[in-house]
Amino acid sequence: KNLFLRDLNLSDQEQLHLLNLNASQIDANALSIVLKCTVGGGQISASSELTETKTSLDMKVHLAADKVAAEALNKFVVFPENYLSGEIDRLALEGSGTVDAPRTWNGVLSLQMSRVHRREINFDHAVVTISAEQGRGILRSADITEETNEFHLRGSMELPDTFADFGRTPTNLEISGTAPDLERLTAGTF
């Protein structure tokens, strides 16, 4: 009921240091997961506590990543090939709530990325902070720079009761910035 995997080398750049699936409380409808690994030259640690309710799943989650080459994650997440690029300088997520009920979510996500170069967008550096609390999602800051271009975003939205209602709740988004070389940021897509 308590599985541990330790020190598993998946490749030169990918090592699983610890994976713990703790089902010792499964009779109480609870499961916990801990993951510590090296991917893309950086460190990732995650933990989650899941509790089944009558109709859904309550979750507490912690995720941290430092100095991870984002393209190394493409084979581990459900994105198209070569979808992610750049470097995740720092990612931190602390959250809780009912998985399929966004209005119950509480937590903070902060992300720092650099050197993102995709067909649709290019930027040198981005810093984003998002929080969820009391039924609201808040884009505290999103600051994106590409050489002389700078964009700053702030906003908020009422979190919906269900996933299906995303995009149908009141939302406010403010965008400011300077873009003397917009073509460089958009990789010539305009």
Side-chain angles (χ1 to χ4, degrees):
K1 289 189 174 187
N2 196 1
L3 173 69
F4 284 90
L5 290 175
R6 295 181 195 270
D7 302 322
L8 180 62
N9 286 327
L10 304 172
S11 73
D12 291 344
Q13 294 288 312
E14 299 154 352
Q15 294 87 34
L16 178 66
H17 303 295
L18 172 67
L19 174 61
N20 174 224
L21 297 172
N22 185 347
S24 63
Q25 299 297 314
I26 203 74
D27 292 338
N29 299 325
L31 174 72
S32 66
I33 303 166
V34 175
L35 172 69
K36 294 182 181 181
C37 59
T38 299
V39 175
Q43 302 298 311
I44 298 175
S45 67
S47 63
S48 183
E49 296 175 16
L50 307 167
T51 306
E52 185 180 21
T53 66
K54 287 185 179 186
T55 60
S56 189
L57 193 63
D58 287 342
M59 179 168 58
K60 291 180 184 175
V61 65
H62 161 80
L63 173 65
D66 288 297
K67 304 293 182 198
V68 174
E71 44 278 339
L73 296 174
N74 284 315
K75 62 181 149 189
F76 297 107
V77 294
V78 187
F79 290 131
E81 186 176 342
N82 299 321
Y83 183 79
L84 297 173
S85 71
E87 181 159 319
I88 299 170
D89 301 314
R90 175 104 176 99
L91 168 69
L93 169 65
E94 295 286 339
S96 64
T98 302
V99 172
D100 60 353
R103 190 175 296 274
T104 68
W105 298 349
N106 288 291
V108 176
L109 168 82
S110 63
L111 171 66
Q112 295 178 23
M113 286 191 74
S114 57
R115 297 180 299 283
V116 173
H117 303 291
R118 297 198 22 87
R119 186 173 51 85
E120 306 85 13
I121 191 166
N122 284 296
F123 59 83
D124 295 324
H125 191 71
V127 178
V128 178
T129 303
I130 300 170
S131 66
E133 56 189 80
Q134 298 177 348
R136 295 188 55 78
I138 302 166
L139 176 59
R140 300 225 176 259
S141 64
D143 301 313
I144 302 166
T145 58
E146 168 59 32
E147 291 190 9
T148 58
N149 297 313
E150 292 184 16
F151 289 93
H152 309 283
L153 295 88
R154 311 282 181 271
S156 64
M157 74 178 297
E158 288 184 28
L159 292 172
D161 291 325
T162 67
F163 279 108
D165 290 331
F166 263 112
R168 297 184 182 125
T169 58
T171 302
N172 174 29
L173 181 63
E174 299 173 15
I175 303 171
S176 64
T178 58
D181 190 4
L182 185 59
E183 185 174 359
R184 183 159 179 78
L185 179 72
T186 61
T189 57
F190 277 113

